[in-house]
Amino acid sequence: QSALTQPASVSGSPGQSITISCTGTSSDVGTYNVVSWYQQHPGKAPKLMIYEVSKRPSGVSNRFSGSKSGNTASLTISGLQAEDEADYYCCSYVGSSTSVVFGGGTKLTVL
Amino acid sequence: QVQLQESGPGLVKPSETLSLTCTVSGGSITSYYWSWIRQPPGKGLEWIGYVYYSGSTNYNPSLKSRVTISVDTSKNQFSLKLSSVTAADTAVYYCARGPTRYYFDYWGQGTLVTVSS
């Protein structure tokens, strides 16, 4: 199974909004509304930010939102803050292999 | 508050079997999916597989021939065994809880396992 495709890096200034894309296929992102997103700071475990495409766990800021169109899911962070600087990973179910696959990760830099 | 803690050897020799245990505290192991996920140094996340509390399992096709994940509900623990390891298996190994098969809401802190002679 192939990893989902994410941009290697994105950047933005404090207060701005950024969007990270996650492209899969009709076997995963395009068919199943179960995309999740994780934030990982250096040396730390990943943290769940979005699940089932657009749902936010309790305690996650409403500055984080998720969406999906076709085979591409997106994570949008509005009102960028310095603490948002981290790596972000998307994840989806793969129906053809009944398994789970992650994206390659995107490094977010807050300028 | 649910907490997960990985434990096991930090160094494994090539061709041997990597064994890790994840202990769950602050909540029951029942009614959830329990996964192992790894991250080679400087690289991205790779899902290894899960065990449901009932004992049913599902593995990453690329690792399936070498992986066994099991659960011990009496101890609130689940375990990973990865056989015939090579240097490519060097990674931080995380255990994680899944309310469904598809996402992970609680993670352990991770444990670095190095494969080297």
Side-chain angles (χ1 to χ4, degrees):
Chain A
Q1 59 188 25
S2 300
L4 305 174
T5 300
Q6 298 181 232
S9 63
V10 299
S11 62
S13 299
Q16 288 185 332
S17 294
I18 63 94
T19 296
I20 299 172
S21 62
C22 170
T23 302
T25 70
S26 57
S27 295
D28 39 66
V29 174
T31 296
Y32 304 96
N33 292 321
V34 295
V35 175
S36 54
W37 290 90
Y38 302 86
Q39 176 191 67
Q40 186 180 35
H41 288 109
K44 301 294 187 182
K47 175 187 176 183
L48 177 66
M49 306 302 286
I50 295 287
Y51 67 101
E52 294 175 356
V53 177
S54 59
K55 298 178 181 178
R56 260 191 323 274
S58 174
V60 172
S61 170
N62 60 10
R63 297 186 299 105
F64 291 83
S65 62
S67 62
K68 190 187 87 165
S69 177
N71 295 339
T72 298
S74 299
L75 173 72
T76 297
I77 309 174
S78 59
L80 267 181
Q81 300 179 359
E83 68 222 44
D84 299 332
E85 185 163 292
D87 293 326
Y88 291 84
Y89 294 91
C90 62
C91 178
S92 177
Y93 175 69
V94 184
S96 56
S97 59
T98 65
S99 60
V100 168
V101 66
F102 284 94
T106 297
K107 180 176 180 61
L108 168 61
T109 300
V110 180
L111 302 170
Chain B
Q1 177 76 345
V2 175
Q3 292 185 318
L4 290 78
Q5 179 67 58
E6 304 90 350
S7 59
L11 181 64
V12 181
K13 290 182 168 56
S15 80
E16 295 189 343
T17 296
L18 179 160
S19 296
L20 296 174
T21 296
C22 182
T23 301
V24 181
S25 59
S28 175
I29 206 164
T30 58
S31 301
Y32 289 98
Y33 294 84
W34 302 94
S35 282
W36 287 96
I37 295 157
R38 70 181 183 178
Q39 184 171 37
K43 297 188 178 181
L45 301 168
E46 180 181 34
W47 176 75
I48 299 171
Y50 71 68
V51 60
Y52 192 46
Y53 76 99
S54 63
S56 63
T57 56
N58 196 21
Y59 303 132
N60 185 323
S62 68
L63 298 170
K64 189 173 184 176
S65 63
R66 299 193 291 130
V67 173
T68 302
I69 300 176
S70 58
V71 64
D72 186 337
T73 54
S74 67
K75 295 182 179 179
N76 248 30
Q77 293 178 334
F78 64 106
S79 299
L80 167 70
K81 291 189 185 299
L82 181 66
S83 64
S84 304
V85 297
T86 69
D89 295 309
T90 293
V92 174
Y93 285 76
Y94 294 101
C95 57
R97 188 185 85 166
T100 73
R101 293 173 237 187
Y102 318 126
Y103 72 94
F104 316 100
D105 60 351
Y106 285 96
W107 295 63
Q109 64 185 25
T111 187
L112 174 63
V113 178
T114 301
V115 179
S116 175
S117 55

